[in-house]
Amino acid sequence: ELPLDELIASIAVDVPDFPEPGVVFRDLTPVFADAEAFRRVVDGLAAPARTDPRVAALRSGQDDPGFDVVVGVEARGFLLAAAVALAAGTGVVPVRKAGKLPRERISADYALEYGTATLELHTDSLHKGQRVLLVDDVLATGGTLGAAVGLVEQLGAVVSAVAVVVELPALGGREALAPHSVHALWTT
Ligand code: PRP
Ligand code: MG
């Protein structure tokens, strides 16, 4: 059996010059479409305590994954977060792009290459002290997940770990999210 990082690398497709010239886009859609790869990705994201001692330290017992709920970031994070929650035996909470959540919410702006974008979270979706596994597909600059971390913490919840399929270390996302624990299945 291939190690998971090699399996992901063998199925992901590099797309040159997308979304703009000079950028190589790592397309994970074929990884999610592959039954074995998707199962192993979800299992890997659902078990950060297996590889991260800081998450392992948060466990209260063998059946405790080290988090109480999974938070997924719209849009690609949604494909993963619900599956991870089901695998871990928790519920799932969405962080959404601006204007989509109907009830009382908090907002966080984050930088894009040109301009800014906004993420939102329902105010009553997490409670004080609740342990959160934050899930997305890609960690690049960390702008997206940094904004999501801010929203989670604004509600008094605690980030157990940030889990992603792919980390692009050249873009500094891990440093941007410090001191939070970043758990990446593939680093490239
Ligand atoms: C992509 C990706 C991550 C984010 C990573 O999302 O899915 O969420 O960028 O980049 P960063 O670390 O520099 O913030 P995008 O906003 O393109 O949209 P999508 O998930 O809705 O497709
Ligand atoms: Mg995204």
Side-chain angles (χ1 to χ4, degrees), residues 73-77 97 110 136-145:
V73 184
E74 187 172 3
R76 287 178 251 163
K97 294 186 176 172
Y110 61 103
D136 203 356
D137 63 333
V138 177
L139 175 63
T141 66
T144 303
L145 280 164

Side-chain angles (χ1 to χ4, degrees), residues 72-74 78 94-101 118-121:
V73 184
E74 187 172 3
F78 286 178
V95 164
R96 296 213 62 178
K97 294 186 176 172
K100 300 290 188 180
L101 290 174
T118 304
L119 291 176
E120 296 185 335
L121 181 60

Side-chain angles (χ1 to χ4, degrees), residues 4-188:
L4 183 53
D5 58 344
E6 288 178 30
L7 180 68
I8 297 167
S10 73
I11 300 173
V13 177
D14 283 357
V15 185
D17 300 319
F18 186 89
E20 52 192 77
V23 174
V24 179
F25 188 88
R26 309 266 184 213
D27 182 17
L28 294 174
T29 58
V31 178
F32 303 154
D34 182 291
E36 187 208 343
F38 185 59
R39 180 183 53 74
R40 288 183 61 188
V41 162
V42 168
D43 181 55
L45 295 173
R50 213 156 53 201
T51 51
D52 188 333
R54 286 190 288 167
V55 182
L58 298 173
R59 296 170 77 185
S60 62
Q62 283 240 311
D63 294 337
D64 178 9
F67 51 90
D68 304 304
V69 66
V70 178
V71 170
V73 184
E74 187 172 3
R76 287 178 251 163
F78 286 178
L79 283 171
L80 297 161
V84 168
L86 191 67
T90 74
V92 62
V93 166
V95 164
R96 296 213 62 178
K97 294 186 176 172
K100 300 290 188 180
L101 290 174
R103 294 182 298 106
E104 187 186 328
R105 70 203 84 86
I106 54 174
S107 305
D109 296 334
Y110 61 103
L112 297 176
E113 196 169 1
Y114 300 103
T116 63
T118 304
L119 291 176
E120 296 185 335
L121 181 60
H122 270 147
T123 311
D124 64 0
S125 62
L126 301 172
H127 57 75
K128 212 165 184 301
Q130 200 173 16
R131 299 168 306 167
V132 168
L133 177 68
L134 193 48
V135 169
D136 203 356
D137 63 333
V138 177
L139 175 63
T141 66
T144 303
L145 280 164
V149 165
L151 291 171
V152 166
E153 292 182 337
Q154 207 180 317
L155 296 182
V158 176
V159 176
S160 291
V162 174
V164 298
V165 180
V166 182
E167 176 186 359
L168 309 174
L171 297 177
R174 182 176 292 268
E175 292 71 26
L177 294 177
H180 294 287
S181 222
V182 174
H183 174 66
L185 303 180
W186 179 36
T187 301
T188 185

